[in-house]
């Protein structure tokens, strides 16, 4: 459904909040003309408009929204209509305090700001159903309505009595009886055995959170509760507007730190099954002072690829900023050209939209200094507006790419549940677990080499990929082990590592060393997992070169595996650190130590050669120039993106045509700083 959403046009626009400007008709009037100037064709309405839509309980006001719908339609635009549950009206919190969230310490929120409602409250569910019903009835058939945006950035958890009751029910359904739960959570430790269901509370900061299995289940429960609330919101919408696609905006995290990774708190692989099209809010820390632009671009690319992979179909960037955010400690503007570059990167990785938060900068309140398309100067002459307009115009020129797919031979496996379990567990190096960040280091090689990668969960089908990279898969079910074996046996190449296959789905350790299916697959046994201080290193010699290790060394013995690299020091000197095992028609590698990027460069370069992974490239790789492709039945498109402040020259190895000029591209391409070229060849 997602691919046909907008009939060969990328969505360009974003959150439009006329509800903030109802007392300023002259501003609202200008917005339409400005939108046309900015090549905006889509607006998201109503995200936080509940108090404007229902100023008093049961008293609805739609006149302003009717007008905006019609106006947007009159300029040929489309509306993504949000349900307003992310920010409830004051009267609702006041009259029905149960709708306000309860924190882990048992304190009830007051109205507060937003995103702090309970997912279980029957009253909140009822009120949400009513407003959603009203919206669907009124706008469901409006010709401008393109899609539903359910709520906003679902997140968080509630510890009220309703949620606790649901938690116990969820556990009863999962475990059936307390004996099974007690075993799964290993509650005999520290005398934690439950003898009655009423004793089972949520994890709390006062102590019970030390039960690892409970913590893991709580996180699963929070995901399920969030999805349940979302599905509840969708019910009237699906009934009244069955043909309008539905999404909700996912998030990334790590902003204002050096990390940028998919949100860890909600299992989006589960959530994605319930949306028609994946969408997410993309706020990488562009132009920061701690890493190169290319390093930021690599992390941003990773998150795009992960969200692409949830459905393996085009997604939407529901929010991004054309300039800066307001919630970093230092809110840096994107330098001239970087908006265009970062937005084209979205499209290159499979987005069918660039949508902003927000269209017009708020006059007051907490996000008044957040970047927007129209600033407080109310001018279409400033740099940001002009860059947005130029970008919108470019999107129109390359619109035939909308809806196209991507082709990938490499998959990285990421598992939300395994990440939760790994982060929770004691022992080893707590700050150095860094599972998603480690996957990004593997990913970096492929990004720098312009080899496209999917990031899948183990439940997805990975049988068709030439290379599957599954390091640090700490929690592994028997099914996942079987799938990895089948994949390799059938001819696949698998990468595994330290911290793999240690616990089952309830976080109980596998007894007797590495579980048998993995032992056969990898041809090794794991004897110990040694943790290093940050000042401590070992060395591994691989292909005749030494590589420094850090953080973790699995101490292993090779059974059937061939040893490709050995540790050079410490009590495990001379033992295997890198192994390769032939398994059926395929090969399974084990990386026992955590290494730096230089090792990945060497290791994956050999594999890429062996598996001919780089054959589809159109140019020799340059680590600061990223090339990503999209494919239609007729054409293969490439976005050539210069993520550096300097001019870059590329030697093409295939003949391509510039999509915007329709001219053949000469074999040597020079890119200005931050420049993006969009090229294609006919299939
Ligand atoms: C998003 C949120 C928007 C706005 C934006 C600012 O996370 O959905 O409503 O707050 O951040 O960057």
């Amino acid at each position: 459904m997602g691919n046909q959403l907008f009939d060969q046009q990328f969505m360009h626009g974003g959150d439009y909040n006329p509800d903030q400007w109802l007392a300023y008709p002259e501003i609202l009037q200008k917005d339409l003309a400005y939108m046309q100037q900015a090549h905006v064709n889509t607006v998201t309405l109503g995200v936080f408009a509940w108090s404007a839509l229902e100023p008093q309980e049961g008293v609805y006001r739609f006149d302003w929204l009717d007008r905006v719908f019609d106006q947007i339609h009159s300029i040929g635009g489309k509306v993504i209509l949000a349900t307003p549950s992310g920010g409830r009206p004051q009267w609702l919190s006041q009259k029905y305090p149960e709708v306000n969230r309860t924190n882990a310490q048992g304190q009830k929120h007051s109205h507060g700001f937003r995103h702090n409602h309970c997912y279980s409250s029957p009253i909140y569910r009822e009120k949400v159903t009513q407003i959603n019903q009203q919206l669907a009835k009124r706008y469901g058939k409006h010709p401008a309505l393109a899609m539903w945006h359910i709520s906003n950035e679902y997140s968080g958890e509630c510890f009220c009595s309703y949620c606790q009751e649901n938690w116990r029910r969820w556990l009863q359904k999962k475990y059936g009886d307390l004996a099974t739960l007690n075993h799964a959570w290993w509650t005999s430790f520290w005398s934690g055995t439950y003898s009655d269901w009423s004793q089972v509370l949520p994890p709390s900061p006062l102590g019970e959170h030390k039960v690892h299995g409970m913590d893991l289940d709580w996180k699963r429960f929070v995901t399920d509760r969030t999805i349940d609330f979302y599905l509840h919101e969708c019910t009237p919408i699906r009934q009244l507007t069955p043909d309008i696609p539905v999404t909700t905006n996912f998030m990334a995290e790590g902003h204002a730190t050096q990390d940028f990774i998919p949100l860890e708190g909600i299992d989006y692989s589960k959530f994605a099954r319930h949306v028609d099209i994946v969408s997410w809010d993309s706020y990488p820390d562009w132009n920061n002072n701690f890493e190169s632009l290319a390093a930021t671009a690599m992390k941003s690319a990773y998150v795009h690829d992960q969200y692409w992979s949830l459905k393996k179909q085009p997604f939407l960037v529901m929010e991004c900023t054309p300039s800066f955010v307001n919630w970093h400690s230092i809110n840096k503007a994107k330098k001239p050209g970087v908006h265009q570059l970062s937005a084209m990167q979205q499209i290159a990785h499979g987005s069918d939209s660039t949508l902003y938060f927000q269209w017009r900068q708020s006059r007051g309140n907490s996000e008044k200094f957040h970047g927007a398309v129209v600033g407080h100067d109310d001018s279409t002459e400033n740099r940001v507006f002009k860059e947005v307009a130029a970008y919108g115009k470019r999107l129109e020129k390359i619109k035939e790419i909308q809806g196209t797919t991507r082709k990938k031979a490499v998959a990285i496996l990421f598992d939300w549940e395994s990440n939760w379990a790994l982060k929770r567990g004691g022992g080893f190096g707590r700050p150095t677990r860094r599972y998603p960040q480690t996957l990004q280091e593997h990913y970096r090689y492929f990004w720098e080499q312009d080899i496209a990668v999917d990031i899948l969960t183990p439940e997805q089908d990975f049988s068709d990929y030439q290379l599957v990279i599954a390091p640090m898969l700490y929690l592994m079910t028997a099914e996942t082990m079987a799938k990895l074996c089948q994949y390799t046996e059938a001819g696949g190449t698998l990468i595994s590592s330290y911290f793999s296959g240690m616990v089952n789905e309830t976080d109980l350790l596998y007894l007797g060393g590495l579980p048998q299916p993995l032992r056969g697959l990898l041809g090794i046994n794991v004897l110990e997992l040694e943790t290093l201080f940050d000042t401590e290193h070992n060395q591994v010699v691989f292909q005749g070169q030494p590589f420094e290790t850090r953080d973790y060394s699995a101490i292993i013995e090779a059974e059937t595996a061939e040893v490709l690299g050995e540790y050079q020091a410490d009590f495990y000197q001379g033992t295997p650190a890198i192994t390769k095992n032939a398994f059926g028609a395929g090969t399974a590698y084990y990386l026992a130590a955590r290494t730096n990027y230089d090792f990945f460069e060497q290791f994956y370069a050999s594999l890429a050669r062996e598996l001919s992974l780089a054959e589809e490239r159109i140019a020799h790789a340059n680590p600061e120039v990223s090339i990503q492709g999209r494919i239609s039945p007729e054409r293969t498109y490439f976005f050539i993106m210069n993520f550096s402040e300097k001019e870059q020259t590329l030697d093409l190895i295939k003949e391509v045509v510039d999509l915007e000029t329709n001219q053949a591209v000469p074999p040597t391409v020079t890119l200005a700083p931050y420049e993006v070229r969009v090229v294609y060849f006919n299939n």
Side-chain angles (χ1 to χ4, degrees):
M1 185 186 303
N3 299 4
Q4 298 315 317
L5 256 187
F6 211 41
D7 197 19
Q8 285 240 321
Q9 197 169 333
F10 289 107
M11 290 183 166
H12 186 228
D15 277 28
Y16 179 36
N17 301 100
D19 38 308
Q20 291 177 23
W21 298 95
L22 294 178
Y24 297 72
E26 70 291 355
I27 294 272
L28 294 176
Q29 205 47 49
K30 277 188 208 168
D31 280 335
L32 280 192
Y34 286 6
M35 281 176 191
Q36 286 171 295
Q37 247 177 288
H39 296 264
V40 157
N41 56 32
T42 306
V43 295
T44 305
L45 292 173
V47 182
F48 295 110
W50 199 341
S51 60
L53 292 168
E54 191 181 357
Q56 292 169 45
E57 187 170 7
V59 178
Y60 298 101
R61 229 196 105 180
F62 292 116
D63 52 327
W64 65 271
L65 190 54
D66 293 350
R67 224 170 21 246
V68 180
F69 250 95
D70 292 344
Q71 283 167 339
I72 297 296
H73 184 52
S74 74
I75 60 166
K78 292 284 179 193
V79 171
I80 299 174
L81 184 57
T83 66
S85 65
R88 59 200 178 281
Q90 296 278 358
W91 59 256
L92 186 57
S93 304
Q94 184 184 38
K95 182 163 176 197
Y96 307 105
E98 72 163 55
V99 304
N100 300 322
R101 198 168 279 184
T102 301
N103 70 14
Q105 286 82 11
Q107 296 156 324
K108 191 93 187 143
H109 285 238
S110 59
H111 177 80
F113 256 169
R114 64 166 179 178
H115 297 167
N116 63 345
H117 57 85
C118 168
Y119 289 136
S120 298
S121 155
I123 298 269
Y124 201 57
R125 287 180 172 230
E126 189 185 313
K127 293 291 160 197
V128 162
T129 299
Q130 286 165 1
I131 186 75
N132 291 3
Q133 236 160 14
Q134 294 283 339
L135 288 169
K137 276 190 194 148
R138 195 157 187 107
Y139 302 107
K141 295 207 161 47
H142 197 290
L145 181 65
M147 191 175 10
W148 287 103
H149 174 302
I150 306 296
S151 200
N152 192 62
E153 294 191 337
Y154 284 115
S155 65
E157 50 199 33
C158 176
F159 295 78
C160 74
S161 52
Y162 288 122
C163 286
Q164 294 201 27
E165 208 32 62
N166 283 318
W167 162 235
R168 278 184 286 273
R169 252 185 253 137
W170 186 93
L171 291 169
Q172 277 159 353
K173 189 160 167 229
K174 175 165 183 174
Y175 292 110
D177 55 62
L178 276 180
T180 312
L181 176 141
N182 278 317
H183 179 264
W185 291 0
W186 209 249
T187 53
S188 48
F189 190 77
W190 286 348
S191 196
T193 308
Y194 295 103
S195 56
D196 190 277
W197 280 102
S198 61
Q199 297 155 1
V200 183
L201 304 175
S204 93
L206 302 180
E208 294 93 320
H209 70 307
K210 297 263 179 340
V211 180
H212 291 178
M214 172 200 258
D215 220 56
L216 178 59
D217 273 334
W218 173 257
K219 290 197 158 54
R220 292 178 173 126
F221 165 74
V222 168
T223 289
D224 287 355
R225 201 75 306 248
T226 310
I227 296 173
D228 188 76
F229 186 84
Y230 159 85
L231 291 174
H232 176 87
E233 281 216 46
C234 289
T235 305
I237 284 176
R238 296 281 192 198
Q239 269 164 7
L240 293 163
T241 62
D243 298 329
I244 305 289
V246 171
T247 190
T248 185
N249 45 346
F250 292 169
M251 290 179 271
E253 65 180 272
H255 311 290
T257 67
Q258 300 194 8
D259 293 334
F260 188 66
I261 55 174
L263 188 84
E264 294 181 290
I266 296 181
D267 184 344
Y268 283 153
S269 68
K270 271 188 171 177
F271 209 148
R273 291 174 208 153
H274 304 281
V275 300
D276 296 323
I277 182 163
V278 167
S279 67
W280 77 286
D281 298 346
S282 173
Y283 294 101
D285 200 355
W286 297 107
N287 294 123
N288 60 57
N289 64 350
F290 52 80
E291 65 187 3
S292 67
L293 197 68
T296 310
M298 181 278 289
K299 294 172 191 170
S300 159
Y302 177 94
V303 185
H304 286 307
D305 281 347
Q306 182 147 9
Y307 290 160
W308 162 275
S309 307
L310 288 171
K311 281 190 174 295
K312 295 204 214 169
Q313 69 178 33
F315 57 90
L316 301 177
V317 169
M318 189 58 86
E319 292 180 23
C320 65
T321 176
S323 49
F324 38 74
V325 297
N326 77 331
W327 34 264
H328 288 165
S329 49
I330 307 289
N331 295 284
K332 192 79 186 157
K334 288 177 180 171
K335 292 192 193 297
V338 171
H339 171 57
Q340 178 143 184
L341 172 66
S342 58
M344 278 292 182
Q345 188 196 33
Q346 302 165 355
I347 308 293
H349 283 267
S351 175
D352 271 356
S353 72
T354 294
L355 299 164
Y356 307 106
F357 177 85
Q358 60 182 335
W359 163 252
R360 184 180 277 278
Q361 219 170 9
S362 308
R363 182 159 185 203
N365 219 326
S366 69
E367 298 197 300
K368 62 181 179 296
F369 291 122
H370 195 287
V373 180
V374 182
H376 296 134
D377 62 358
D378 188 32
S379 163
T380 56
E381 290 305 312
N382 68 42
R383 175 171 79 83
V384 170
F385 188 94
K386 286 203 268 188
E387 285 194 41
V388 166
Y391 173 69
K393 198 166 169 194
R394 266 193 102 176
L395 276 184
E396 288 165 4
K397 288 202 191 138
I398 62 164
K399 65 182 184 182
E400 65 176 76
I401 301 176
Q402 188 272 339
T404 56
T405 189
R406 306 203 66 206
K407 192 171 139 201
K408 309 185 184 187
V410 180
I412 291 179
L413 299 192
F414 169 78
D415 185 39
W416 266 271
E417 297 195 351
S418 187
N419 188 35
W420 295 333
L422 184 62
K423 281 182 84 157
R424 189 70 210 85
F428 311 109
R430 292 193 187 202
T432 52
R433 301 276 217 275
R434 296 179 63 77
Y435 169 43
Q437 293 85 346
T438 306
L439 296 186
Q440 282 182 340
E441 287 182 42
H442 287 259
Y443 174 86
R444 178 177 160 194
Y445 172 80
F446 300 91
W447 184 80
E448 288 189 352
Q449 293 298 318
D450 305 319
I451 299 168
V453 176
D454 271 338
I455 296 144
L456 304 174
T457 57
E459 290 75 39
Q460 285 178 282
D461 179 11
F462 49 81
S463 55
D464 282 346
Y465 293 82
Q466 268 178 279
L467 174 64
V468 170
I469 301 171
M472 293 183 74
L473 206 45
Y474 166 75
L475 180 159
M476 257 203 236
T477 60
E479 296 80 66
T480 300
M481 292 184 206
K483 268 176 88 172
L484 293 175
C485 290
Q486 279 155 17
Y487 163 76
T488 313
E489 197 165 22
T493 302
L494 175 74
I495 312 296
S496 178
S497 82
Y498 61 92
F499 257 138
S500 291
M502 291 176 76
V503 301
N504 73 5
E505 54 272 36
T506 65
D507 207 10
L508 292 180
L509 267 292
Y510 286 111
L511 300 178
L514 195 64
Q516 185 41 52
L518 294 179
R519 202 159 157 174
L521 171 63
L522 298 163
I524 59 160
N525 193 19
V526 179
L527 308 174
E528 292 182 51
L529 179 54
E530 162 75 336
T531 308
L532 309 186
F533 291 115
D534 57 2
T535 50
E536 238 183 326
H537 302 282
N538 204 320
Q539 280 201 336
V540 170
V541 171
F542 174 71
Q543 296 181 342
Q545 284 184 49
F547 294 93
E548 191 178 77
T549 77
R550 61 191 162 95
D551 301 335
Y552 296 104
S553 308
I555 303 172
I556 64 172
E557 61 188 359
E559 292 176 335
T560 55
E562 179 190 343
V563 178
L564 303 181
E566 289 178 350
Y567 290 109
Q568 300 301 299
D570 217 330
F571 66 92
Y572 45 99
Q573 183 179 18
T575 65
I578 319 280
T579 61
K580 173 181 179 181
N581 195 43
F583 189 77
T587 312
Y589 292 85
Y590 189 78
L591 311 179
R594 183 175 283 176
T595 52
N596 297 321
Y597 181 66
D598 58 348
F599 171 77
F600 290 141
E601 242 180 333
Q602 176 93 5
F603 175 72
Y604 283 125
S606 318
L607 269 187
R609 267 194 306 276
E610 220 174 277
L611 301 174
S612 307
L613 296 175
E615 264 182 5
E616 316 250 328
R617 283 196 306 216
I618 54 163
H620 296 293
N622 169 337
E624 291 184 311
V625 177
S626 169
I627 305 181
Q628 294 284 329
R630 290 185 68 166
I631 301 180
S632 75
E634 299 81 30
R635 287 179 169 176
T636 304
Y637 304 92
F638 293 93
F639 293 74
I640 310 177
M641 300 169 276
N642 180 3
F643 284 102
S644 79
E645 292 76 19
K646 26 180 226 291
E647 201 175 87
Q648 300 275 359
T649 303
L650 286 190
D651 290 323
L652 295 182
I653 42 187
K654 284 202 178 114
E655 284 179 18
V656 291
V657 178
D658 187 304
L659 182 61
E660 289 160 281
T661 62
N662 233 356
Q663 304 285 312
V665 181
T668 302
V669 183
T670 303
L671 296 159
Y674 309 142
E675 190 181 347
V676 180
R677 298 281 297 267
V678 186
V679 303
Y680 71 89
F681 59 74
N682 290 322
N683 297 339

